[in-house]
Amino acid sequence: MGEIALQNGISNGSINGVNGQSQSLNGYRKSCWYEEEIEEDLRWCFALNSILHTGASQYQDIALLDTKPFGKALVIDGKLQSAETDEFIYHECLVHPALLHNPNPKNVFIMGGGEGSTARELLRHKTIDKVVMCDIDEEVVNFCKSYLVVNKDAFRDQRLEVVINDARAELETRNESYDVIIGDLADPIDGGPCYKLYTKSFYELIVKPRLKQGGIFVTQAGPAGIFSHTEVFSCIYNTLRKVFKYVVPYSAHIPSYADIWGWVMASDSPLDLNAEELDLRMRQRIKGENRYLDGKTFTSASTLSKTVRKSLDNETHVYTEENARFIYGHGKQA
């Protein structure tokens, strides 16, 4: 879980921070730090300029921090969700491969995505007529509308429909089908609101029937590093292999996450564009230029290390509600 403390860097003690101001005590300069427990014996911390806002909903605790190394950072349930300086890596990787592999994507459904960055990247595509962003937590959506200025144009775009609902319930009741469905959900943590949306039954009975012919599903899939990929990345990949004919795992380093991060793209149509074909579609379809992703970058991202490839090939766990896996941490309702 994330904690904020005032610490001098040489003492083992800390006190709870009440603001983001540096203080001096006994000749030592004390700074406000954010600390996140990645696993039991491993913590990740960085200095803060200030705490911009904190709040809570019935589902999650929310904070917006102004960090020294990563700019503004959104933290939910003690887990850093995105940071100003590198969120473009995560969101370009989540959105563009699936959109580009679809021959003519017109409408997209986002599960989660309350921050607005996924919608922002989708709306750069010239083919898009409609984006439905369905997030369960209205407090998070309103919070991000108010504080994340980078996404203000996306929230004002007439092609975006914002729905406050559980994604499962919303997909069950909608009659329309989608060219692409995106899982921009919080990580599956014990007590969090999202882990049921990573299950085989959800993919098989809810997501797949809502895809058009040739439609593509893509989801964020948690840490994908040499040691961390077995938490949920490998079993999300294996679960999607049981539902779709073609499944492509890929990953990229996100500096503010202190790890490699993973995504999985799945379809019953081939996902086999080469780097040159991807670059051509980017030039034809996307307004502006990506900062991170191009054809060669995606080719690299989908070429996993030997260790991770072997692990994914040998993974047998299928994600179910009764047999769920979680990344380290606890949600508000745990």
Side-chain angles (χ1 to χ4, degrees), residues 25-40:
L25 184 64
N26 296 330
Y28 295 110
R29 184 173 178 80
K30 300 179 74 70
S31 297
C32 189
W33 289 74
Y34 170 75
E35 183 178 88
E36 182 174 316
E37 193 169 22
I38 297 175
E39 53 188 66
E40 188 172 357

Side-chain angles (χ1 to χ4, degrees), residues 261-279:
W261 211 255
W263 302 265
V264 183
M265 181 169 57
S267 179
D268 281 341
S269 296
L271 301 167
D272 56 3
L273 294 181
N274 62 36
E276 291 74 21
E277 291 168 324
L278 287 169
D279 284 336

